[in-house]
Each structure stands twice: as C-alpha cells, then as structure tokens.
Amino acid sequence: MFDFFKKSWYTMGTMIDEKRLKILVDGAKYDVSCSSSGSRRKNVAGGIGNAAFGGICHSFTRDGRCISLLKLLLSNDCVFDCKYCPNRRSADVPRASVTPEEVCELVIEFYKRNYIEGLFLSSAVMKNSDYTMELLIRTVKLLREEHRFNGYIHLKGIPYADPALEREAARYVDRMSYNVELPSESSLKLLAPQKSKESVFLPMGRLSEEKRELALEKKKQTGRCELKGTGRFLPAGQTTQMIVGASPEKDGQILRLSEAMYRKFDLKRVYFSSYIPVVNDPLLPTKQAGLLREHRLYQADWLMRFYGFESEEIVGTGENLSTEYDPKCAWALKNMHLFPVEINTASVETLLRVPGIGAKGAYKIVAARRHAALTFADLKKMRIVVKRARHFITCGGKFYGLEGTERVGLALSAAERTDNAVQLSLFESEERFLPEANSFLSLKTEETEKKFLLSSTAEIARSALLGEL
C-alpha cells in the first residue's frame, strides 16, 4: 500500500514524513474489520466525497482486506501489553504518532488524487483511553466540519473510554468497531490482561441501545421503525474481529459468541483473522492457524446470517468445522434422514439447506415452479450446482443422486477438489464452461438426463482412481 502512494508523495507538501507513515500504515494491516459497505451518508453542498450507494469503490486484496480505504494508525505507541500484538508496550519496534491535522491533510490529498474513497482510523492506546479517544474524535470532526469530507469513515473504538466520547464519535463516523480479539475471558486474561470482555461488550451494547432509541424516536415522527433511519448515528453499524488460533477455543465456541453478538448488538459483521505468529512469546502458538480454518468460519457465519442456520446446528461447542467439506455439506451429511426433498414442493427454508442451492437460487426455484414443474435441466439453466444438489433432491419424484452417507460424502469431497470448485477468474474465458452446460441444456429425454448425471459421478470416480484429484 505504501509503495502505491510513494510516487506522488513529495508533490503533496504533507506534514507526515515518509518514515512515520510507513510505520503507521504497516501497524494497521492486522485489523481486517474494515468493510465499507452499508453507509448512506449523502453529499452536502460545497463538500467533497460521497459514501451513499455507489459512492464507495471497493477493491479487496486476496486476503480480504479492503484497499479503497486509507488504513492508518494515529499512533502505535501503546500502553497495553497484549501478547499477540506487534505494537504492544514491551515490543522493540519503531514508534510513531501523527496529529489529527496531519491525518486530515493526508486523507484530503489522497482523496483528491483518487487513491482512496474513505478512511479506516485506529490507534494504539496512548497515555490512557480517554486521551486517545479524544484525539480520534478531533480527527473525524475536523474532516467532517472543517474539510467538509462526506466520504466513508470507519473508526476503531478504544476500550474503557468514557461513554460520552463513544456517543460523540458515533455521530461523525459511518461505522465503529470494538474488537473482541479472543473468544473467551480466560484467553483475554492470559494474553491481553489489560482488556476484558466488558471493555468491548459494554460500549457495543451502549451504541446499539442508542441506535434503537433513535429508531423509536423516528417511529414517533414518521410511523416507521428502522435502524437504518437513525440519521447520522453509525449509519453503517458496528463490526468486530476475532483472532482464530491464538487461543485454544474451538470453532463451535467462536460461532456461538458470534451468534450472540449478532442478536444482542445488531452487528453488521464478525470478522475472523487467522493467527499469524508475528510475536515470539511462550504463551502463543508457534504455527499459524491457516487460512482454511478462517475460510470455514466465514462460510459458517454466512449460513447463520443469510440461511437461517443456528450455530449449534453447524458445529458442536467443543468441535472444529470440517476441513473436508464446507459447513453446509457437512450439516447435510449429518442429517441425511431429512433428504431428499422435492424441488417442486419444498419451502424456501428447506431449499436453503440443500447443498448447491444458494439464496438467489432458492427464490428462483419458488418463483419458476408456479408456472411449471421443474426438472434437473431447468435447475441447470438456473445455475443451481446440480453436481451437489442432486444427492439431496428429487424433481417430479425422480432421484438421480447417490445413496448412502459415505458414497455421497466421497462424491462431495471429490467435487470440491475439481477445477470447477475453484474461484472463477475475472479474465478467464467462458468457453471453458460451455461444453458441459451446452450438453446438459440440449437434453431432450429423461433417459439422457439421467445418463448425463451418472456420467458426472463416473468422471469424478475415474479421476479419483487415477489420482487426478
């Protein structure tokens, strides 16, 4: 990120020198809870920037971090001594700080050059929590009031700061986040003794309650109660982050905590950060947690937020998510007695639990079957992943999947490792996918349809035997 800005650095006349900027940008990279979606802040006359729909241009790196925001620490000189943090008090690292005025000048100059679309601002705890929070508020107030900046701002809240400072900050920024960091009180005491769950949960609860009260006030005025309609008080809501793998908690405990925070604090997102050993400490693991575990947690989190799953359905408290299957397939394999379901009669809630059928696909199916009974060929046209779904559904009473949990599990595991299971490239030719699609869409009889589905299974088995998967 720093190299991207370096070329035009000396033309800006900014007060932040190159050395300090590099330290503060590098120190902010470990926070992933900076998604910039959800704000409706509109432009005002004479101002610059816009965070309304279409006003933010998202660009994400491979590890999921948004690069359309200037991600910066106000300071990395911390009085806390969290074991896992590279900016902890006892760390032997270069220290740097900037003033609110310097941050504002940098944001405006970068915005004018179209380098950024907004700001993610955090800080180590300098002197004490209130002192640090006051500097953060001063920065965002200068941006909003003096520079008339209407762009997106995400502010990292400081634990133990005065509640009045929390509320004031929430009226100037689009989103705030208080990071839980570790999933249990015992791990916090061990690895971050100066923090506690109350230092995070209490401010999150206060901000959530304030937002609800504003929504009720608006209901009295307009007759509608919407959390989105609470003016400029955290229009993009709250998020949090948990480090995965720095402490011994299992995925089940992490998901239960995430579920509780969604329900209690109306969080927009819980972000998961796979532990990377950047600090040498006997209390910390020497190996990184791995991106697959982080990926599985995001998949499970998606099921809870959009598919109606509860955490206890997905994984037990003392268990980790399967590395072999995605959470939805793993759940389906444990509940084979609920399948197959009939595509032409199953409810939306039931369809959402079928592997290979996403949220859009489920609603497409319900809308299309009002006009005619659906077949497997119809599902293919609707971009349903029939390779997975066929083991769990019938179309018009016809079943073309495999029977038995073990056989279905092998097929799903093999399918996940095929070329079609990887993320599609933005620049990859669509011709690669046409032959299979065309051969399926040209089916005329149920017999040829069945042969096609069976041939897919045979191809997976053949590839597995030859060691191609």
Side-chain angles (χ1 to χ4, degrees):
M1 175 180 173
F2 179 76
D3 290 339
F4 177 73
F5 299 138
K6 192 173 181 180
K7 291 182 180 179
S8 52
W9 179 255
Y10 297 104
T11 66
M12 292 182 182
T14 181
M15 294 181 288
I16 305 180
D17 59 272
E18 181 180 322
K19 183 178 179 180
R20 282 189 296 156
L21 181 68
K22 190 171 185 178
I23 292 172
L24 296 175
V25 168
D26 187 68
K29 69 183 179 183
Y30 299 102
D31 200 312
V32 300
S33 58
C34 58
S35 174
S36 57
S37 60
S39 179
R40 292 174 178 269
R41 184 179 297 275
K42 296 181 179 179
N43 204 348
V44 295
I48 62 173
N50 194 325
F53 272 42
I56 291 293
C57 301
H58 300 280
S59 180
F60 292 90
T61 60
R62 184 173 296 180
D63 60 359
R65 290 172 173 81
C66 180
I67 60 172
S68 62
L69 306 179
L70 171 61
K71 189 189 289 188
L72 185 70
L73 293 179
L74 200 65
S75 173
N76 73 334
D77 191 5
C78 194
V79 298
F80 285 6
D81 200 28
C82 303
K83 301 295 184 183
Y84 51 82
C85 182
N87 298 317
R88 70 195 187 284
R89 184 186 62 218
S90 59
D92 184 16
V93 296
R95 304 293 180 176
S97 299
V98 291
T99 66
E101 290 77 13
E102 289 175 323
V103 174
C104 291
E105 182 178 359
L106 186 67
V107 170
I108 297 303
E109 292 298 330
F110 278 0
Y111 192 93
K112 287 178 178 178
R113 287 162 172 76
N114 203 30
Y115 291 163
I116 62 170
E117 295 293 334
L119 171 68
F120 174 84
L121 184 61
S122 181
S123 180
V125 182
M126 300 177 284
K127 296 184 180 180
N128 57 63
S129 297
D130 286 349
Y131 175 80
T132 308
M133 197 67 181
E134 287 172 355
L135 287 178
L136 291 172
I137 293 173
R138 182 181 169 190
T139 304
V140 297
K141 286 181 71 174
L142 283 173
L143 278 172
R144 295 297 192 205
E145 295 178 348
E146 184 173 318
H147 296 280
R148 303 180 66 79
F149 180 71
N150 303 302
Y152 181 88
I153 300 178
H154 182 150
L155 186 68
K156 183 85 169 291
I158 304 299
Y160 301 111
D162 188 280
L165 296 176
E166 299 164 6
R167 290 192 296 272
E168 184 177 9
R171 296 184 181 279
Y172 287 93
V173 302
D174 297 280
R175 173 167 287 179
M176 287 185 68
S177 59
Y178 285 85
N179 289 353
V180 175
E181 302 291 15
L182 299 172
S184 70
E185 183 75 8
S186 59
S187 292
L188 277 174
K189 288 181 179 179
L190 182 65
L191 301 178
Q194 291 165 297
K195 292 183 180 179
S196 67
K197 64 179 184 180
E198 285 78 15
S199 68
V200 176
F201 292 157
L202 287 179
M204 289 168 64
R206 287 191 291 261
L207 292 174
S208 177
E209 184 61 30
E210 178 79 8
K211 197 170 179 68
R212 289 193 186 98
E213 291 176 1
L214 290 172
L216 290 175
E217 290 180 10
K218 184 165 185 178
K219 182 181 180 182
K220 294 178 182 178
Q221 301 173 358
T222 65
R224 295 182 301 174
C225 183
E226 297 181 6
L227 290 179
K228 292 181 180 179
T230 51
R232 293 193 173 186
F233 190 91
L234 289 185
Q238 299 185 72
T239 63
T240 191
Q241 173 181 310
M242 278 190 277
I243 302 172
V244 179
S247 52
E249 290 82 13
K250 301 294 186 181
D251 293 342
Q253 187 173 348
I254 293 172
L255 289 176
R256 274 157 185 73
L257 177 57
S258 300
E259 185 178 48
M261 290 190 292
Y262 279 128
R263 291 177 176 175
K264 191 172 183 179
F265 304 130
D266 300 313
L267 290 189
K268 293 296 184 181
R269 286 288 301 276
V270 175
Y271 289 87
F272 306 102
S273 177
S274 178
Y275 170 71
I276 300 173
V278 295
V279 175
N280 292 322
D281 192 284
L283 296 177
L284 291 170
T286 56
K287 295 182 180 180
Q288 63 184 43
L291 293 179
L292 179 59
R293 186 180 179 190
E294 178 185 313
H295 178 59
R296 292 294 188 227
L297 282 167
Y298 275 118
Q299 289 177 318
D301 177 78
W302 195 265
L303 293 181
M304 292 193 300
R305 291 193 294 135
F306 300 111
Y307 285 73
F309 282 80
E310 295 185 358
S311 61
E312 62 184 16
E313 294 181 277
I314 300 172
V315 64
T317 304
E319 301 175 0
N320 280 330
L321 293 164
S322 170
T323 57
E324 190 172 4
Y325 315 105
D326 69 76
K328 193 175 183 182
C329 286
W331 174 87
L333 289 172
K334 291 180 181 178
N335 294 274
M336 291 296 288
H337 61 283
L338 301 177
F339 300 102
V341 298
E342 172 55 44
I343 281 293
N344 291 290
T345 58
S347 65
V348 170
E349 292 77 13
T350 300
L351 293 174
L352 285 172
R353 291 177 175 249
V354 176
I357 299 181
K360 290 183 179 180
Y363 286 100
K364 281 182 181 180
I365 289 171
V366 172
R369 72 189 186 189
R370 295 173 184 167
H371 307 285
L374 301 180
T375 66
F376 282 97
D378 295 324
L379 296 183
K380 192 71 175 181
K381 293 176 183 178
M382 297 164 69
R383 296 185 178 275
I384 302 300
V385 186
V386 179
K387 183 182 292 185
R388 295 188 180 196
R390 65 192 181 90
H391 306 295
F392 305 96
I393 61 173
T394 59
C395 288
K398 296 178 175 59
F399 178 72
Y400 293 141
L402 299 177
E403 294 183 354
T405 302
E406 186 175 351
R407 295 181 68 197
V408 174
L410 287 172
L412 291 175
S413 179
E416 189 157 308
R417 291 192 293 267
T418 60
D419 290 339
N420 287 341
V422 301
Q423 182 172 331
L424 303 184
S425 168
L426 179 64
F427 306 104
E428 192 163 10
S429 172
E430 295 183 1
E431 294 178 0
R432 171 180 168 223
F433 306 97
L434 291 178
E436 184 183 28
N438 290 336
S439 63
F440 193 91
L441 297 179
S442 63
L443 296 174
K444 300 298 182 182
T445 66
E446 294 177 1
E447 185 62 27
T448 53
E449 180 178 286
K450 184 174 182 179
K451 287 180 179 178
F452 178 84
L453 292 168
L454 292 177
S455 68
S456 297
T457 303
E459 182 63 25
I460 291 173
R462 184 190 68 81
S463 298
L465 288 173
L466 293 177
E468 295 175 1
L469 299 179

Short mmCIF file of all heavy atoms in Angstrom, two decimals, residues 255 262 268-270 272 295-309 314 327-328 352 358-360:
data_model
loop_
_atom_site.label_atom_id
_atom_site.label_comp_id
_atom_site.label_asym_id
_atom_site.label_seq_id
_atom_site.Cartn_x
_atom_site.Cartn_y
_atom_site.Cartn_z
N LEU A 255 -18.29 -19.54 17.00
CA LEU A 255 -19.54 -19.27 16.30
C LEU A 255 -20.67 -18.93 17.27
O LEU A 255 -21.53 -18.10 16.96
CB LEU A 255 -19.94 -20.48 15.45
CG LEU A 255 -19.08 -20.71 14.21
CD1 LEU A 255 -19.49 -21.99 13.50
CD2 LEU A 255 -19.18 -19.53 13.24
N TYR A 262 -24.42 -11.00 17.25
CA TYR A 262 -25.35 -10.59 16.20
C TYR A 262 -26.71 -10.27 16.80
O TYR A 262 -27.36 -9.28 16.44
CB TYR A 262 -25.49 -11.69 15.15
CG TYR A 262 -24.38 -11.74 14.13
CD1 TYR A 262 -23.69 -12.92 13.87
CD2 TYR A 262 -24.02 -10.61 13.41
CE1 TYR A 262 -22.68 -12.97 12.92
CE2 TYR A 262 -23.00 -10.64 12.47
CZ TYR A 262 -22.34 -11.83 12.23
OH TYR A 262 -21.33 -11.87 11.30
N LYS A 268 -23.10 -5.78 12.11
CA LYS A 268 -23.13 -6.00 10.67
C LYS A 268 -22.27 -7.20 10.28
O LYS A 268 -22.65 -7.97 9.40
CB LYS A 268 -22.63 -4.75 9.93
CG LYS A 268 -23.53 -3.55 10.07
CD LYS A 268 -24.88 -3.79 9.43
CE LYS A 268 -25.75 -2.54 9.50
NZ LYS A 268 -27.07 -2.77 8.89
N ARG A 269 -21.10 -7.31 10.89
CA ARG A 269 -20.21 -8.41 10.55
C ARG A 269 -19.34 -8.78 11.73
O ARG A 269 -18.97 -7.93 12.53
CB ARG A 269 -19.27 -8.03 9.38
CG ARG A 269 -19.89 -7.97 8.02
CD ARG A 269 -20.23 -9.34 7.47
NE ARG A 269 -19.09 -10.22 7.36
CZ ARG A 269 -18.26 -10.24 6.32
NH1 ARG A 269 -18.43 -9.40 5.32
NH2 ARG A 269 -17.26 -11.11 6.28
N VAL A 270 -19.02 -10.05 11.82
CA VAL A 270 -17.94 -10.52 12.68
C VAL A 270 -16.83 -10.97 11.74
O VAL A 270 -17.04 -11.84 10.89
CB VAL A 270 -18.38 -11.69 13.58
CG1 VAL A 270 -17.18 -12.22 14.36
CG2 VAL A 270 -19.48 -11.23 14.54
N PHE A 272 -13.06 -12.63 11.01
CA PHE A 272 -12.15 -13.62 11.58
C PHE A 272 -10.76 -13.42 10.97
O PHE A 272 -10.62 -13.31 9.76
CB PHE A 272 -12.65 -15.04 11.29
CG PHE A 272 -14.06 -15.27 11.75
CD1 PHE A 272 -15.11 -15.27 10.84
CD2 PHE A 272 -14.36 -15.47 13.08
CE1 PHE A 272 -16.41 -15.48 11.24
CE2 PHE A 272 -15.66 -15.68 13.51
CZ PHE A 272 -16.69 -15.68 12.58
N HIS A 295 -11.51 -19.54 6.47
CA HIS A 295 -12.48 -19.64 5.39
C HIS A 295 -13.73 -20.39 5.83
O HIS A 295 -14.86 -19.97 5.55
CB HIS A 295 -11.83 -20.34 4.19
CG HIS A 295 -12.75 -20.55 3.02
ND1 HIS A 295 -13.36 -19.51 2.38
CD2 HIS A 295 -13.14 -21.69 2.39
CE1 HIS A 295 -14.11 -19.99 1.39
NE2 HIS A 295 -13.99 -21.30 1.39
N ARG A 296 -13.56 -21.50 6.54
CA ARG A 296 -14.70 -22.28 7.02
C ARG A 296 -15.55 -21.47 8.00
O ARG A 296 -16.78 -21.56 8.00
CB ARG A 296 -14.22 -23.56 7.69
CG ARG A 296 -13.58 -24.57 6.74
CD ARG A 296 -14.59 -25.12 5.75
NE ARG A 296 -14.06 -26.21 4.97
CZ ARG A 296 -14.17 -26.34 3.67
NH1 ARG A 296 -14.79 -25.40 2.97
NH2 ARG A 296 -13.68 -27.38 3.03
N LEU A 297 -14.90 -20.68 8.84
CA LEU A 297 -15.66 -19.85 9.77
C LEU A 297 -16.49 -18.80 9.04
O LEU A 297 -17.64 -18.52 9.42
CB LEU A 297 -14.70 -19.17 10.76
CG LEU A 297 -14.19 -20.07 11.89
CD1 LEU A 297 -13.03 -19.40 12.61
CD2 LEU A 297 -15.30 -20.39 12.87
N TYR A 298 -15.92 -18.22 8.00
CA TYR A 298 -16.71 -17.27 7.21
C TYR A 298 -17.89 -17.95 6.53
O TYR A 298 -18.99 -17.38 6.43
CB TYR A 298 -15.82 -16.60 6.16
CG TYR A 298 -15.05 -15.40 6.67
CD1 TYR A 298 -13.67 -15.39 6.68
CD2 TYR A 298 -15.72 -14.28 7.15
CE1 TYR A 298 -12.96 -14.29 7.16
CE2 TYR A 298 -15.03 -13.18 7.62
CZ TYR A 298 -13.65 -13.19 7.62
OH TYR A 298 -12.97 -12.10 8.10
N GLN A 299 -17.69 -19.18 6.03
CA GLN A 299 -18.80 -19.91 5.41
C GLN A 299 -19.90 -20.18 6.43
O GLN A 299 -21.09 -20.03 6.14
CB GLN A 299 -18.28 -21.23 4.82
CG GLN A 299 -17.42 -21.06 3.58
CD GLN A 299 -16.88 -22.38 3.07
OE1 GLN A 299 -16.45 -23.24 3.86
NE2 GLN A 299 -16.89 -22.56 1.76
N ALA A 300 -19.50 -20.60 7.64
CA ALA A 300 -20.49 -20.87 8.69
C ALA A 300 -21.20 -19.58 9.11
O ALA A 300 -22.41 -19.57 9.35
CB ALA A 300 -19.80 -21.51 9.88
N ASP A 301 -20.44 -18.50 9.19
CA ASP A 301 -21.01 -17.20 9.54
C ASP A 301 -22.06 -16.78 8.51
O ASP A 301 -23.12 -16.24 8.85
CB ASP A 301 -19.89 -16.17 9.63
CG ASP A 301 -20.39 -14.77 9.93
OD1 ASP A 301 -20.71 -14.50 11.09
OD2 ASP A 301 -20.46 -13.94 8.98
N TRP A 302 -21.77 -17.07 7.25
CA TRP A 302 -22.71 -16.75 6.16
C TRP A 302 -24.00 -17.54 6.33
O TRP A 302 -25.10 -17.02 6.11
CB TRP A 302 -22.05 -17.07 4.83
CG TRP A 302 -22.73 -16.49 3.64
CD1 TRP A 302 -23.65 -17.10 2.83
CD2 TRP A 302 -22.56 -15.17 3.08
NE1 TRP A 302 -24.05 -16.26 1.82
CE2 TRP A 302 -23.40 -15.07 1.95
CE3 TRP A 302 -21.76 -14.09 3.45
CZ2 TRP A 302 -23.47 -13.92 1.18
CZ3 TRP A 302 -21.83 -12.93 2.66
CH2 TRP A 302 -22.67 -12.86 1.56
N LEU A 303 -23.89 -18.81 6.72
CA LEU A 303 -25.08 -19.65 6.93
C LEU A 303 -25.94 -19.09 8.06
O LEU A 303 -27.18 -19.13 7.97
CB LEU A 303 -24.66 -21.08 7.25
CG LEU A 303 -23.99 -21.89 6.14
CD1 LEU A 303 -23.66 -23.29 6.64
CD2 LEU A 303 -24.86 -21.97 4.90
N MET A 304 -25.32 -18.59 9.10
CA MET A 304 -26.08 -18.03 10.21
C MET A 304 -26.77 -16.73 9.82
O MET A 304 -27.91 -16.48 10.22
CB MET A 304 -25.16 -17.79 11.41
CG MET A 304 -24.62 -19.05 12.06
SD MET A 304 -23.87 -18.75 13.68
CE MET A 304 -22.55 -17.59 13.27
N ARG A 305 -26.10 -15.91 9.03
CA ARG A 305 -26.66 -14.59 8.72
C ARG A 305 -27.70 -14.62 7.61
O ARG A 305 -28.64 -13.81 7.63
CB ARG A 305 -25.52 -13.64 8.31
CG ARG A 305 -24.61 -13.28 9.48
CD ARG A 305 -23.71 -12.12 9.16
NE ARG A 305 -22.75 -12.44 8.13
CZ ARG A 305 -22.46 -11.64 7.10
NH1 ARG A 305 -23.08 -10.50 6.96
NH2 ARG A 305 -21.57 -12.01 6.21
N PHE A 306 -27.56 -15.53 6.65
CA PHE A 306 -28.43 -15.48 5.48
C PHE A 306 -29.22 -16.76 5.18
O PHE A 306 -30.10 -16.75 4.34
CB PHE A 306 -27.61 -15.13 4.23
CG PHE A 306 -26.92 -13.80 4.33
CD1 PHE A 306 -25.53 -13.72 4.44
CD2 PHE A 306 -27.63 -12.62 4.34
CE1 PHE A 306 -24.90 -12.51 4.55
CE2 PHE A 306 -27.00 -11.39 4.44
CZ PHE A 306 -25.63 -11.33 4.54
N TYR A 307 -28.92 -17.84 5.86
CA TYR A 307 -29.56 -19.11 5.53
C TYR A 307 -30.38 -19.70 6.67
O TYR A 307 -30.91 -20.80 6.55
CB TYR A 307 -28.50 -20.14 5.09
CG TYR A 307 -27.98 -19.90 3.70
CD1 TYR A 307 -27.12 -18.84 3.45
CD2 TYR A 307 -28.33 -20.72 2.64
CE1 TYR A 307 -26.63 -18.60 2.18
CE2 TYR A 307 -27.85 -20.49 1.36
CZ TYR A 307 -27.00 -19.43 1.14
OH TYR A 307 -26.52 -19.18 -0.13
N GLY A 308 -30.51 -18.99 7.77
CA GLY A 308 -31.37 -19.44 8.85
C GLY A 308 -30.78 -20.52 9.74
O GLY A 308 -31.51 -21.14 10.52
N PHE A 309 -29.49 -20.78 9.65
CA PHE A 309 -28.86 -21.78 10.49
C PHE A 309 -28.54 -21.19 11.86
O PHE A 309 -28.24 -20.00 11.98
CB PHE A 309 -27.56 -22.29 9.87
CG PHE A 309 -27.75 -23.29 8.78
CD1 PHE A 309 -28.09 -22.89 7.49
CD2 PHE A 309 -27.59 -24.64 9.03
CE1 PHE A 309 -28.24 -23.80 6.46
CE2 PHE A 309 -27.75 -25.57 8.00
CZ PHE A 309 -28.07 -25.15 6.73
N ILE A 314 -24.61 -26.19 13.22
CA ILE A 314 -23.45 -26.26 12.32
C ILE A 314 -22.31 -27.06 12.93
O ILE A 314 -21.71 -27.91 12.26
CB ILE A 314 -22.98 -24.83 11.96
CG1 ILE A 314 -24.12 -24.06 11.26
CG2 ILE A 314 -21.75 -24.88 11.06
CD1 ILE A 314 -23.81 -22.59 11.04
N PRO A 327 -19.35 -26.09 5.56
CA PRO A 327 -20.28 -26.34 6.66
C PRO A 327 -21.67 -26.80 6.23
O PRO A 327 -22.30 -27.60 6.94
CB PRO A 327 -20.35 -24.98 7.37
CG PRO A 327 -19.05 -24.33 7.05
CD PRO A 327 -18.71 -24.78 5.66
N LYS A 328 -22.15 -26.32 5.11
CA LYS A 328 -23.48 -26.71 4.66
C LYS A 328 -23.51 -28.17 4.24
O LYS A 328 -24.44 -28.92 4.57
CB LYS A 328 -23.91 -25.82 3.49
CG LYS A 328 -25.39 -25.91 3.14
CD LYS A 328 -25.72 -24.89 2.06
CE LYS A 328 -27.19 -24.90 1.72
NZ LYS A 328 -27.50 -23.93 0.65
N LEU A 352 -33.04 -23.71 1.16
CA LEU A 352 -31.82 -23.02 1.57
C LEU A 352 -30.83 -23.96 2.25
O LEU A 352 -29.64 -23.66 2.34
CB LEU A 352 -32.16 -21.87 2.50
CG LEU A 352 -32.76 -20.61 1.86
CD1 LEU A 352 -33.21 -19.63 2.93
CD2 LEU A 352 -31.76 -19.96 0.92
N GLY A 358 -28.20 -21.82 -3.48
CA GLY A 358 -27.97 -20.59 -2.72
C GLY A 358 -29.25 -19.84 -2.49
O GLY A 358 -30.35 -20.28 -2.86
N ALA A 359 -29.14 -18.68 -1.86
CA ALA A 359 -30.33 -17.89 -1.53
C ALA A 359 -31.07 -17.45 -2.79
O ALA A 359 -32.29 -17.58 -2.89
CB ALA A 359 -29.92 -16.68 -0.69
N LYS A 360 -30.33 -16.91 -3.77
CA LYS A 360 -30.98 -16.49 -5.01
C LYS A 360 -31.61 -17.67 -5.73
O LYS A 360 -32.71 -17.59 -6.27
CB LYS A 360 -29.96 -15.80 -5.92
CG LYS A 360 -29.51 -14.44 -5.43
CD LYS A 360 -28.56 -13.79 -6.43
CE LYS A 360 -28.12 -12.41 -5.95
NZ LYS A 360 -27.19 -11.76 -6.91
#
